[in-house]
Amino acid sequence: MFRSLVKLQSHFGNALSLSKVYPRSQHSLFALKYSTAAAAERKRFYQDVSISQGEGGLYEINLDRRKLKTPGGKLFTVPNEALAIAVATEWDAQQDTLKFYTMHLTTLCNTALDNPTQRNKDQMISAALKFLETDTVCYRVDEPHALVELQKNEWDPVLHWIENRYNVTIGSSSSILGPEIPEATKETFRQHLNSYNFWSLTGLEYVITQLKSVVLAMGMIDRHLSVEQAVLLSRLEEEYQIRRWGNVEWAHDYDMYELRARTAAGALFVHLSSESSTVKRKLMQD
Amino acid sequence: MAALSSPLRVCRGILKELRAIHGPSYKQSLAYSYVMDQFRKNKVTGERYCRAQQEAHHASHTYLCLLASTRNHLVLHNLYHGKGERSPEEVASLVGLRLPTQPGGKGWEK
């Protein structure tokens, strides 16, 4: 039930983030904004996509000669080169028409830059931690027995790992109210989430919302799980039913690939926004 | 649980995806040079358990997953959900009828 709501929200989010086209000015730095017509599709209006470094060390994306802008009108700037290259690849991957629903990294950058809902870090952290009370991994069923076993074998290791890693207690329960999360646990996670910067937090909250689980999101961000594993664990009951009743490609596979794409984009966004790398050359000693 | 496929397979997978995006000139793309650069930089390490190497490996795996799943999602979307509505002519021809033609155009058409 939550997933269809989230999908509906994201479709509206894409449509609402488009704003009007101003046709008159032909300045070379002017970047076209997207058009609002839902039925009309934007054609690919550029040949080359390149990146350039602007002031402050921030990277910008150039479509032909024009600089890319966010839907809010700001210049599209990215803190590091890897993320800029990935966004440029997304734009370059568009064939004749622009399909914004495949450009997940661009969407995440736009959200981080524009902050359309005007939220600060604390609000985002509270929203993310709300998922802890209804975490997928903590909600168990009582029957059928095979599913209970599957949940125990797949989800318990992840729970143990996160309890050891963060020194917290999170139980699992099969009651309708879910597990009781002690305040200390929430406080630990709150402090941990506070250590991420705003961009990483945007990505992290996105991943948590997609996977419907704080435990799985942290497991993936801490590199304990791969994207495919995290998505599998998030969809555990669906996978069980698929194995029992058969796979429906236009629904199951479609959902799985979409979830994988969004989660991978979110994870990459968090990793690239929260790390910085330096190269240190060591001389060979013999 | 954290076992990933080898870096070579991940690298080849990413190159395959880039080839699918760009076509024959994928070697001139930005992503190609950056990815190859990163793979070469992280290949040799002095430590036994090098955290930077593990992180880069996980990041490459994540990027491969991103490229592959967006491509598959788009393929499935075009296959099953991309058709849109039929035009009135097609709908009529489904039951073997044709739309009537009016030589002067309908009243409200210009």
Side-chain angles (χ1 to χ4, degrees):
Chain A
M1 186 185 78
F2 293 125
R3 207 156 293 174
S4 56
L5 280 179
V6 170
K7 225 187 279 190
L8 197 60
Q9 227 173 35
S10 66
H11 278 150
F12 278 129
N14 270 339
L16 288 175
S17 68
L18 314 176
S19 51
K20 276 168 68 165
V21 173
Y22 298 102
R24 296 295 152 142
S25 44
Q26 292 297 318
H27 200 258
S28 69
L29 283 186
F30 175 71
L32 293 178
K33 298 185 195 171
Y34 322 108
S35 84
T36 38
E41 294 174 327
R42 291 284 303 176
K43 286 216 163 47
R44 180 173 168 154
F45 52 86
Y46 49 91
Q47 261 83 48
D48 300 308
V49 185
S50 58
I51 63 173
S52 57
Q53 196 164 6
E55 66 297 322
L58 296 174
Y59 290 84
E60 303 151 0
I61 317 278
N62 302 321
L63 304 173
D64 280 339
R65 299 283 319 280
R66 298 187 275 231
K67 290 187 197 274
L68 180 61
K69 286 202 179 149
T70 70
K74 288 201 233 174
L75 191 60
F76 187 95
T77 50
V78 177
N80 62 26
E81 192 187 7
L83 192 53
I85 293 182
V87 172
T89 314
E90 272 188 352
W91 280 89
D92 217 355
Q94 303 300 314
Q95 318 283 338
D96 314 317
T97 55
L98 300 180
K99 298 186 160 64
F100 294 112
Y101 55 85
T102 55
M103 303 203 271
H104 301 292
L105 287 174
T106 312
T107 315
L108 279 170
C109 290
N110 284 336
T111 312
L113 282 167
D114 282 342
N115 198 4
T117 44
Q118 301 293 320
R119 292 198 293 177
N120 59 7
K121 268 177 81 167
D122 292 319
Q123 287 169 318
M124 293 172 78
I125 295 178
S126 315
L129 286 183
K130 269 220 183 68
F131 269 95
L132 195 53
E133 290 151 27
T134 49
D135 203 303
T136 306
V137 167
C138 303
Y139 257 81
R140 307 297 168 93
V141 293
D142 284 326
E143 44 107 60
H145 186 66
L147 183 53
V148 178
E149 279 298 307
L150 194 61
Q151 286 183 337
K152 197 158 67 104
N153 294 336
E154 303 288 336
W155 284 347
D156 275 351
V158 184
L159 261 186
H160 289 150
W161 172 83
I162 203 174
E163 286 182 345
N164 285 338
R165 166 98 167 75
Y166 289 98
N167 226 356
V168 293
T169 30
I170 309 173
S172 66
S173 97
S174 51
S175 81
I176 199 165
L177 290 174
E180 280 293 319
I181 312 280
E183 261 314 303
T185 306
K186 288 193 203 167
E187 212 28 64
T188 317
F189 278 120
R190 196 181 301 270
Q191 278 179 4
H192 180 75
L193 289 178
N194 219 357
S195 68
Y196 288 95
N197 60 32
F198 182 73
W199 277 57
S200 311
L201 208 49
T202 315
L204 201 48
E205 208 214 331
Y206 184 72
V207 173
I208 294 179
T209 315
Q210 292 302 314
L211 289 176
K212 312 283 179 301
S213 160
V214 173
V215 171
L216 291 177
M218 296 315 295
M220 195 182 59
I221 297 296
D222 288 338
R223 300 180 173 92
H224 176 74
L225 300 168
S226 74
V227 177
E228 290 93 344
Q229 286 164 340
V231 167
L232 178 70
L233 291 177
S234 176
R235 284 165 47 99
L236 196 63
E237 184 175 349
E238 284 187 49
E239 295 291 330
Y240 169 76
Q241 302 291 359
I242 289 172
R243 229 168 283 175
R244 175 102 169 74
W245 298 105
N247 187 32
V248 176
E249 200 182 23
W250 52 263
H252 291 139
D253 276 351
Y254 185 76
D255 280 347
M256 183 185 74
Y257 284 125
E258 188 178 19
L259 188 60
R260 270 195 195 171
R262 286 168 190 245
T263 318
L268 204 61
F269 190 77
V270 174
H271 286 147
L272 291 177
S273 300
S274 59
E275 69 186 17
S276 61
S277 62
T278 52
V279 176
K280 196 161 92 168
R281 291 197 182 281
K282 286 189 192 173
L283 292 174
M284 298 272 284
Q285 314 215 322
D286 43 358
Chain B
M1 252 265 185
L4 302 174
S5 40
S6 75
L8 178 64
R9 292 193 74 174
V10 178
C11 185
R12 292 178 68 176
I14 295 184
L15 292 191
K16 208 166 100 169
E17 297 292 334
L18 288 181
R19 214 165 56 218
I21 290 178
H22 289 119
S25 64
Y26 71 101
K27 292 202 176 173
Q28 278 87 43
S29 61
L30 287 165
Y32 177 79
S33 28
Y34 183 80
V35 162
M36 295 310 284
D37 203 36
Q38 289 294 307
F39 268 100
R40 281 185 202 118
K41 270 191 204 159
N42 284 308
K43 208 160 75 164
V44 181
T45 174
E47 342 260 319
R48 197 178 302 164
Y49 182 77
C50 176
R51 204 168 138 198
Q53 202 180 40
Q54 295 292 322
E55 289 181 358
H57 186 38
H58 188 268
S60 63
H61 203 78
T62 307
Y63 191 50
L64 175 63
C65 182
L66 173 63
L67 290 175
S69 31
T70 37
R71 182 174 55 86
N72 287 327
H73 176 232
L74 195 58
V75 163
L76 283 182
H77 182 84
N78 291 334
L79 187 55
Y80 292 114
H81 303 281
K83 288 242 183 76
E85 281 190 0
R86 294 191 180 90
S87 71
E89 285 87 12
E90 290 178 33
V91 173
S93 68
L94 278 181
V95 289
L97 300 172
R98 285 176 302 173
L99 287 181
T101 54
Q102 205 169 327
K106 299 194 182 114
W108 62 88
E109 280 174 0
K110 302 236 160 55

